[in-house]
Amino acid sequence: MKVLIRRMLLFTMVAGMVALIWWALQPKPVLVDTAVVSRGSLVVTISDDGRTRIRERYVVSAPLSGRLVRIGLDPGDTVTARQTLLTTIEPTDPELLDPRAAAQAQARVKAAEVRVNLAEPRLESAKEALNLAESELGRLQRLDRKNAVAEQELNRQRVIFRQAGNDYSAALFEQEIAAYELELAKSALIRTSDDTDPPTAWSLPIYAPISGRVLRVFQESSTIVNAGERILELGDPRDLEVEVDVLSTEAVAIVPGAQVLLTQWGGDHPLEARVRLIEPSAFTKISALGIEEQRVNVIIDFVDPPEARPELGDGYRVEADIVRWKSDDVLTVPTGALFRESGQWAVFVFSHDRAVLQHVEIGHRNDDAAEVLDGLQQGQTVVLYPGDRVESGVVIRQRTD
């Protein structure tokens, strides 16, 4: 009996040592992070820094030479068109009575009259284009309620209508400025006439040509100015647009009307905008790494009203995410699971506690996810950021911490 017990104990010890050696020789599982292949929305964007700028700005210049009275306005002050007195130009004898100054003033009046004559037909053409775009948009909207028009055609007409509205606003602004310049030129011409009025009658008041705010004051102190010298810059800070320069290789994929999300502008929510124009000419820019790049300016209009961005002003930095492509129902895989293998995209699939190499076909992708065209199915688990220890057939275990 004792011999049998000793043999059983010896057998147990030998079996335990064999099991211990077998366990020690087994490969230890590699801890990995995983993600599940799922269906959802995917948005591909072109992201770059941009800056805001006032759409229409006006530089007030001296219509004639004389003594500029000290300007009491500061940047940020509000002005009203034809009501707010910006400054006054007083004569410096005998400059305002010089025959040459009178001839120059007459020439400026004629030039201003030509600008007015040019602005009026442009305004009329812009108004007709706006009416036509509005009529066409209304027709397509009626067809859309009957499901008789393509969504793409309706969106294209919305872009055309917004563009026509912007063109009309610009033409109206141009016509108002031309009329103001004509009035100012005529006032300067009157003050070059020789009569017996007292010197105060020769003072030329300059009123604000537009309603808005003072952006910059070029000549704050009283001084002698020459005709055409800049005095102030005016604009409406609520009428903003965004200028973003992108690589020319990316600009070819952007279309007018594309959706844009503006982030990193200082607010707690992104602002919605639309691409209005892709400039047809590129320019060379040196990157931070010293590389020459061909870049193109993309002009973006805000969709959100000015009340949603009251703090945003002229020249402020924003980050623009221009939507290049999007879909609401697409099979996606995290980009962290993708790598190149034999010239193809591949992933490691988590299957029965082992990593299985799987080649996949990828479509659109962004920084976070990629569209799966072939090679994966919904619900499969893939390895994220596989390291050098992960190979096909290697035992893996999902990291839980």
Side-chain angles (χ1 to χ4, degrees):
M1 188 65 180
K2 293 182 179 180
V3 175
L4 180 60
I5 293 175
R6 282 196 297 269
R7 288 179 178 178
M8 291 180 62
L9 290 174
L10 181 61
F11 177 78
T12 302
M13 293 176 60
V14 172
M17 293 180 62
V18 171
L20 183 62
I21 295 173
W22 177 85
W23 179 83
L25 294 177
Q26 291 299 309
K28 295 183 179 179
V30 179
L31 297 179
V32 295
D33 295 318
T34 61
V36 178
V37 179
S38 61
R39 301 194 71 88
S41 61
L42 181 64
V43 180
V44 180
T45 62
I46 298 172
S47 301
D48 222 314
D49 292 340
R51 64 181 183 89
T52 62
R53 68 182 187 187
I54 294 177
R55 189 192 308 273
E56 301 289 351
R57 61 179 69 225
Y58 185 81
V59 176
V60 180
S61 302
L64 45 72
S65 301
R67 182 180 298 278
L68 179 73
V69 176
R70 179 178 174 82
I71 298 176
L73 297 173
D74 295 319
D77 289 347
T78 302
V79 296
T80 304
R82 302 181 183 276
Q83 295 183 16
T84 304
L85 178 64
L86 301 179
T87 185
T88 302
I89 295 181
E90 297 178 346
T92 56
D93 294 334
E95 177 65 25
L96 292 181
L97 303 180
D98 194 295
R100 183 175 60 180
Q104 292 174 346
Q106 290 175 353
R108 283 192 291 270
V109 169
K110 293 180 180 179
E113 290 175 345
V114 172
R115 285 193 290 270
V116 170
N117 294 334
L118 291 176
E120 290 178 352
R122 291 176 183 172
L123 178 62
E124 187 65 26
S125 298
K127 184 177 180 180
E128 293 177 358
L130 177 61
N131 292 335
L132 179 61
E134 184 178 13
S135 175
E136 182 65 14
L137 179 60
R139 184 183 70 84
L140 293 180
Q141 287 176 337
R142 289 192 296 271
L143 292 176
D144 182 59
R145 288 192 287 269
K146 300 177 183 179
N147 294 325
V149 65
E151 183 69 20
Q152 184 178 5
E153 184 177 357
L154 181 60
N155 291 336
R156 185 184 299 111
Q157 186 59 37
R158 289 195 180 109
V159 174
I160 295 175
F161 175 70
R162 285 195 296 268
Q163 180 65 47
N166 292 334
D167 292 342
Y168 177 74
S169 299
L172 182 61
F173 181 85
E174 181 182 356
Q175 193 269 344
E176 291 176 351
I177 292 301
Y180 169 80
E181 290 178 343
L182 176 59
E183 180 181 344
L184 197 61
K186 288 181 176 179
S187 299
L189 179 61
I190 293 173
R191 284 156 178 79
T192 58
S193 301
D194 188 7
D195 54 28
T196 58
D197 290 342
T200 55
W202 290 97
S203 300
L204 175 62
I206 300 179
Y207 292 91
I210 61 172
S211 296
R213 291 188 176 183
V214 177
L215 302 181
R216 286 190 291 179
V217 179
F218 298 108
Q219 294 289 350
E220 181 177 354
S221 301
S222 177
T223 184
I224 302 298
V225 294
N226 297 318
E229 191 170 342
R230 298 184 304 173
I231 301 175
L232 297 102
E233 185 179 37
L234 307 178
D236 185 0
R238 298 175 301 174
D239 187 21
L240 292 176
E241 61 185 11
V242 179
E243 180 188 59
V244 181
D245 61 277
V246 302
L247 291 172
S248 59
T249 53
E250 296 178 337
V252 296
I254 302 174
V255 297
Q259 182 183 4
V260 182
L261 290 179
L262 301 176
T263 59
Q264 304 299 324
W265 60 277
D268 55 0
H269 63 282
L271 298 174
E272 186 178 355
R274 294 279 178 182
V275 173
R276 172 164 57 89
L277 173 68
I278 301 95
E279 293 187 353
S281 179
F283 58 92
T284 302
K285 184 178 180 180
I286 307 298
S287 69
L289 299 177
I291 302 174
E292 286 190 357
E293 299 175 339
Q294 291 301 112
R295 305 189 75 88
V296 178
N297 284 330
V298 178
I299 310 303
I300 299 170
D301 289 333
F302 285 93
V303 174
D304 290 330
E307 293 76 16
R309 43 180 172 86
E311 305 87 357
L312 206 58
D314 180 49
Y316 283 35
R317 176 192 175 276
V318 297
E319 185 172 316
D321 297 325
I322 305 173
V323 177
R324 176 180 178 181
W325 179 89
K326 68 176 181 178
S327 175
D328 295 329
D329 185 19
V330 63
L331 187 65
T332 61
V333 62
T335 54
L338 296 170
F339 59 92
R340 302 290 288 181
E341 199 275 335
S342 299
Q344 294 179 296
W345 288 110
V347 298
F348 283 117
V349 178
F350 190 102
S351 178
H352 303 292
D353 294 334
R354 292 186 180 274
V356 178
L357 180 67
Q358 177 65 49
H359 289 98
V360 295
E361 185 178 352
I362 297 301
H364 298 90
R365 61 192 179 100
N366 57 25
D367 294 338
D368 300 320
E371 176 190 14
V372 178
L373 301 179
D374 189 25
L376 291 175
Q377 296 180 354
Q378 183 177 356
Q380 285 186 295
T381 302
V382 294
V383 178
L384 292 176
Y385 310 108
D388 296 338
R389 297 177 59 191
V390 179
E391 299 178 353
S392 185
V394 169
V395 178
I396 57 178
R397 181 179 300 170
Q398 185 174 355
R399 186 179 284 112
T400 56
D401 55 343

